[in-house]
Amino acid sequence: MYKSTANHLTYDFKTLANLMAKASPPRSGDYLAGLAAVNNLERVAAQWALAELPLKHFLTEAVVPYENDEVTRLIIDDHDSDAFTAISHLTVGDFRNWLLSDQATTAALTAIAKGLTPEMVAAVSKIMRIQDLILVAKKCRVITKFRNTIGLENRFSTRLQPNHPTDNPAGVAASILDGLLYGCGDAVIGINPASDNLEATSRLLYLLHDVIERYQIPTQACVLAHVTTTLKAIEQGAPVDLVFQSIAGTQKANDSFGINLNLLAEAHQAALALGRGPIGSNCMYFETGQGSALSANAHEGLDQQTCEARAYAVARKFKPLLVNTVVGFIGPEYLYDGKQIMRAGLEDHFCGKLLGLPMGCDICYTNHAEADQDDMDLLLSAFAMAGGSFIMGVPGADDIMLNYQSTSFHDALYIRQVLGLKPAPEFEAWLQHHQIFNEHNQLRQNSEMPALFKPSVQRLKDIS
């Protein structure tokens, strides 16, 4: 039991999971689950008790029992005690102070990453302000490679998301062309298929392969089908660059997604065997979201932010090229408004980066949430300041297949211009070579279509 006093009242927190939940900043999902603090006094009392907890304690009390949960077993069994040594004497509060100090350099943060557990980073995030989350995440540097290099300093990438409600090839191709002309797509050209079946997935895979090969684009493709569908596509010889899967932080939640660690390992090995990455072998793409475990009734009594951080242990196991927190997609039942979405997105980025992951963010909201594009502009700006790796590039910021609001091609131009950020270096060179960007990484000023795309534009006109 954990005790804390605030305003002359004594609060008892029965378990570590209970303490973590009560210490969380307010969000609608935790209220829905009956886990949140009843008021700010109880929240502050929990945060105070959490700050005094030694980091070592997280290695002795599992928030989900070891024998019941393979994610817990992964966290404990893969813990690097040597990497943990440098910070093993600290409490959660001391760890926060150290992270904010000049001693916590990029090299020091990289050195301790494998010694941190998701619960440790979730705990320290709960006692940090937004500026703290930004400052520490900015110091983390995670670099991954496939056909280009993601995560370098002063670089900011985008996933070009050309979704179509019927997977129409001409519609998908038109959105890809539009995005490329705005300098988007260096993280990945990734399509959410309207129909998650082998035929539709394979058709889109060949389309993306043809686009990348035809124009010699230094990027990678992904069709965000279920991992079992992608495995079947690999078996049939389809051109798979990245294997995608949504993941969660408990075994029960992953069961609800139809996955487990063995299946992910099989897919990882299958993608590695294809050897399609000329400069790197990071071939997995994972997406997560606060509230996913609760929505599956599989949160195991954990608050949604701690559940989210545990999903990063699953991602870390398979050395992904990209990890994307789809922060506002699950709805206001879990993150009610723009303020909660912003806090959650920056927490996710902070936790993932500390654990050594290449974190992106789908800066988004559903149409029934108390949020709008002004909220997304603020999160986008803060996320880029924090050193985020990539965002989404959606035509008009409105995904017409998934029916939610995200970031547009123009948003990527805005943040690169304001903060002096550039695309991945290989992609930057391609944009400049084809006169899509000039030497200052500004969008071309003339109205003429680059010669590279003229035949394709004519073909799209003929189809339509």
Side-chain angles (χ1 to χ4, degrees):
M1 182 177 290
Y2 307 87
K3 289 181 179 291
S4 184
T5 301
N7 198 29
H8 307 295
L9 296 173
T10 299
Y11 294 88
D12 295 329
F13 308 102
K14 296 180 180 179
T15 65
L16 179 57
N18 177 241
L19 176 65
M20 296 272 280
K22 298 293 188 181
S24 287
R27 59 208 58 195
S28 52
D30 292 338
Y31 287 112
L32 180 65
L35 298 172
V38 295
N39 54 39
N40 285 331
L41 269 181
E42 185 180 30
R43 182 172 295 108
V44 169
Q47 290 172 339
W48 193 270
L50 191 60
E52 294 182 332
L53 197 66
L55 290 178
K56 288 180 179 177
H57 185 80
F58 292 90
L59 302 175
T60 63
E61 182 181 351
V63 294
V64 183
Y66 181 94
E67 60 275 11
N68 296 344
D69 187 273
E70 69 171 2
V71 178
T72 299
R73 293 193 289 274
L74 171 67
I75 291 168
I76 298 301
D77 295 348
D78 280 14
H79 181 252
D80 188 329
S81 56
D82 291 335
F84 182 60
T85 300
I87 54 168
S88 61
H89 61 290
L90 300 177
T91 64
V92 172
D94 293 333
F95 184 42
R96 173 191 176 274
N97 294 338
W98 180 84
L99 288 170
L100 294 170
S101 75
D102 292 338
Q103 292 177 288
T105 62
T106 298
L109 292 171
T110 301
I112 67 168
K114 292 184 179 178
L116 296 172
T117 69
E119 291 84 357
M120 291 177 193
V121 299
V124 75
S125 75
K126 295 175 191 297
I127 61 169
M128 299 180 89
R129 294 169 58 186
I130 279 182
Q131 66 173 250
D132 300 338
L133 299 174
I134 292 173
L135 177 62
V136 176
K138 176 70 172 179
K139 295 191 286 187
C140 297
R141 182 66 49 203
V142 182
I143 299 169
T144 55
K145 299 183 179 183
F146 192 79
R147 285 200 189 92
N148 59 21
T149 309
I150 307 297
L152 293 169
E153 191 170 5
N154 297 320
R155 303 280 176 173
F156 196 69
S157 297
T158 58
R159 168 189 160 191
L160 205 175
Q161 186 169 307
N163 294 344
H164 192 276
T166 63
D167 292 337
N168 179 272
V172 170
S175 292
I176 292 174
L177 174 61
D178 192 21
L180 292 172
L181 290 172
Y182 281 100
C184 291
D186 51 335
V188 64
I189 304 176
I191 304 173
N192 297 89
S195 302
D196 190 340
N197 59 57
L198 181 58
E199 181 182 358
T201 297
S202 297
R203 184 168 58 249
L204 292 171
L205 284 168
Y206 280 106
L207 169 62
L208 293 176
H209 172 76
D210 180 62
V211 168
I212 289 174
E213 287 295 309
R214 181 185 300 270
Y215 304 117
Q216 291 296 290
I217 308 171
T219 190
Q220 35 283 326
C222 186
V223 176
L224 282 69
H226 192 270
V227 63
T228 53
T229 306
T230 305
L231 274 171
K232 291 175 184 176
I234 291 174
E235 291 169 1
Q236 294 196 1
V240 173
D241 287 346
L242 306 183
V243 174
F244 166 80
Q245 183 54 49
S246 294
I247 56 174
T250 70
Q251 181 175 331
K252 285 184 179 179
N254 285 325
D255 286 344
S256 75
F257 290 160
I259 63 167
N260 54 48
L261 296 179
N262 286 337
L263 179 60
L264 293 177
E266 179 186 351
H268 185 219
Q269 290 304 311
L272 284 173
L274 296 176
R276 291 175 58 85
I279 69 168
S281 58
N282 301 113
C283 57
M284 302 295 282
Y285 174 21
F286 295 117
E287 288 193 344
T288 65
Q290 288 196 28
S292 59
L294 176 57
S295 68
N297 195 28
H299 59 94
E300 299 281 19
L302 302 182
D303 67 272
Q304 63 187 39
Q305 191 256 335
T306 300
C307 263
E308 171 75 5
R310 282 169 55 93
Y312 301 152
V314 177
R316 182 167 63 173
K317 178 71 174 176
F318 302 105
K319 301 177 175 62
L321 181 77
L322 309 165
V323 178
N324 179 31
T325 168
V326 191
V327 67
F329 181 74
I330 305 179
E333 299 81 6
Y334 308 97
L335 295 169
Y336 179 71
D337 57 14
K339 183 174 182 177
Q340 291 188 11
I341 292 170
M342 174 179 285
R343 170 83 196 191
L346 295 172
E347 285 172 350
D348 295 348
H349 177 246
F350 165 89
C351 290
K353 277 289 187 66
L354 272 184
L355 292 169
L357 289 174
M359 292 301 296
C361 185
D362 191 345
I363 296 165
C364 63
Y365 62 100
T366 57
N367 289 317
H368 63 309
E370 292 295 321
D372 58 28
Q373 288 301 140
D374 285 343
D375 296 310
M376 300 305 101
D377 285 349
L378 290 172
L379 176 52
L380 168 61
S381 302
F383 178 74
M385 287 170 55
S389 292
F390 68 101
I391 58 168
M392 306 302 105
V394 178
D398 183 5
D399 192 303
I400 58 174
M401 194 279 282
L402 292 174
N403 292 313
Y404 78 116
Q405 309 304 310
S406 185
T407 43
S408 71
F409 305 146
H410 301 79
D411 293 330
L413 288 176
Y414 145 73
I415 203 64
R416 285 170 173 166
Q417 180 180 352
V418 167
L419 297 181
L421 302 172
K422 300 183 287 187
E426 302 87 350
F427 195 78
E428 175 192 18
W430 180 84
L431 290 170
Q432 292 178 355
H433 176 73
H434 293 291
Q435 299 181 338
I436 298 170
F437 277 8
N438 64 23
E439 67 274 14
H440 303 297
N441 282 302
Q442 297 169 328
L443 202 61
R444 60 189 172 83
Q445 295 301 308
N446 61 66
S447 58
E448 186 177 351
M449 179 67 61
L452 177 72
F453 294 129
K454 284 183 178 178
S456 298
V457 172
Q458 186 59 51
R459 197 182 329 165
L460 285 171
K461 289 180 178 176
D462 294 341
I463 292 173
S464 60

